[in-house]
Amino acid sequence: MLSSFVISERQDAKDVLFGGSGFVPDIPSLQRWLEIAWERGFDMVGSGHFNQSIYGSRSWIGATECAALFRSFGLFARVVDFSDKELENLYLSVPNTVKRNDVKGKRKAWQVLGPMDRYLVRKNCDGNVGGEICRNSVDGGSGNNVENTESERHQILMDWVWNYFSDETSMIYGHPRMIISKKSPLYFQHDGHSRTIVGIQVKNQKKGIQQYSLLILDPAHKTAALERSLKDNKGWKKLLKRGVHTLKKPQYQLCYIDPGIATGKEMEQLKTIDSTLVTF
């Protein structure tokens, strides 16, 4: 989706992406392009995690692999980490936590067996034992106070996304109720799943409270179901909108693309994948 966006919206990116072909390759071809990026020295730490080979495999990739692929064409792909303070030592954005020649320094990932809106691996629960996972309180039961606290903490991520899309310098259409931005969609990564944030909605509630909802396209949803719900104007909100109460993970990662094409020394600098860390 990021590829289709930059190809359709930016001529400079269209000229350099995928040999200037002007279209988004299929998955196996994208895998091969990622291998080529690794061969050229982009994200050596991450490539070691996959033994420098991913073509034809069913291995999951993440935001750092996404960034490496785009950076290999000269695009300024950026990574932002959102995390609990106590987990900051897992992140590339924190100085001295990752040895660049140590492939084991790759960010850790827990195994999660479902979308984040249904499942949560809690800190006191091992999600890898026998495929067992702990259900969160969205499905019922106690823990409302915990939910409220989590929502307050994850509002930081919501605020970041709101500021990203509402940047006045990137506005191409302004309306009292809608803003269309030049900003790229956001590659939205969390344990076990990747989705795409294409926008954000805010509603003014009583007492001046603002309610935010991410507008997300999820590859786990059937395209036909989404098309039908949009055509009938029925059920699409359930498929697209995700409130702050659905953000249950201790770690999230975003990838986005800044304007411009790198040259010379800038290309060399892009080979090392780092990130900005925002703690909850």
Side-chain angles (χ1 to χ4, degrees):
M1 290 194 64
L2 281 172
S3 296
S4 65
F5 171 83
V6 295
I7 286 174
S8 64
E9 298 296 325
R10 289 178 47 185
Q11 185 62 46
D12 60 347
K14 183 178 180 180
D15 291 341
V16 298
L17 269 179
F18 314 119
S21 62
F23 64 88
V24 181
D26 58 14
I27 296 299
S29 298
L30 285 173
Q31 290 177 325
R32 182 61 189 127
W33 278 113
L34 179 56
E35 287 184 342
I36 293 172
W38 289 339
E39 291 168 4
R40 293 176 58 198
F42 288 86
D43 192 18
M44 296 300 293
V45 173
S47 66
H49 181 73
F50 296 93
N51 294 319
Q52 292 78 42
S53 176
I54 197 168
Y55 179 75
S57 78
R58 297 180 64 85
S59 299
W60 289 95
I61 65 168
T64 52
E65 286 74 42
C66 176
L69 177 61
F70 284 115
R71 286 182 174 208
S72 70
F73 296 108
L75 274 66
F76 292 99
R78 311 297 190 189
V79 177
V80 182
D81 288 312
F82 295 84
S83 172
D84 285 340
K85 180 69 175 178
E86 60 267 26
L87 297 176
E88 69 177 9
N89 63 336
L90 301 181
Y91 286 85
L92 293 174
S93 53
V94 180
N96 303 320
T97 58
V98 177
K99 295 179 180 179
R100 298 301 177 182
N101 60 350
D102 179 8
V103 298
K104 295 181 180 179
K106 182 76 174 175
R107 289 181 181 86
K108 295 181 180 179
W110 295 318
Q111 181 183 9
V112 176
L113 306 180
M116 78 171 188
D117 298 333
R118 295 180 57 198
Y119 300 110
L120 168 69
V121 175
R122 292 177 179 166
K123 294 179 182 178
N124 60 351
C125 173
D126 185 350
N128 296 320
V129 179
E132 181 184 357
I133 52 180
C134 294
R135 303 300 296 271
N136 65 27
S137 54
V138 171
D139 294 322
S142 60
N144 289 334
N145 290 335
V146 174
E147 279 192 18
N148 291 337
T149 302
E150 289 293 319
S151 294
E152 291 173 1
R153 293 165 63 249
H154 287 93
Q155 184 62 41
I156 294 173
L157 190 155
M158 286 286 192
D159 291 340
W160 192 97
V161 174
W162 174 262
N163 291 330
Y164 174 80
F165 282 118
S166 60
D167 180 0
E168 292 184 359
T169 62
S170 67
M171 190 185 305
I172 60 175
Y173 173 77
H175 185 274
R177 299 187 62 183
M178 179 180 293
I179 294 174
I180 298 178
S181 171
K182 293 180 181 179
K183 291 294 189 71
S184 73
L186 296 167
Y187 186 113
F188 187 38
Q189 175 83 30
H190 56 84
D191 298 335
H193 197 40
S194 302
R195 300 179 292 173
T196 308
I197 300 174
V198 296
I200 187 168
Q201 180 188 62
V202 62
K203 286 187 175 182
N204 293 318
Q205 306 295 310
K206 295 180 180 179
K207 299 181 179 180
I209 297 175
Q210 293 181 317
Q211 182 184 59
Y212 291 85
S213 296
L214 297 175
L215 303 179
I216 290 179
L217 292 179
D218 190 335
H221 293 154
K222 299 292 185 181
T223 302
L226 179 58
E227 289 178 336
R228 184 168 57 252
S229 67
L230 290 171
K231 181 179 179 180
D232 298 339
N233 195 23
K234 182 179 180 181
W236 63 268
K237 293 181 180 180
K238 183 178 180 180
L239 295 176
L240 292 180
K241 292 176 63 174
R242 293 293 180 266
V244 68
H245 66 282
T246 67
L247 303 178
K248 300 292 182 178
K249 303 297 182 182
Q251 302 164 286
Y252 290 93
Q253 197 170 65
L254 298 176
C255 179
Y256 65 94
I257 300 175
D258 269 339
I261 302 294
T263 58
K265 292 182 178 179
E266 290 178 321
M267 285 293 288
E268 286 300 313
Q269 293 171 350
L270 289 179
K271 289 183 177 181
T272 300
I273 306 294
D274 54 7
S275 69
T276 300
L277 176 65
V278 179
T279 56
F280 295 138

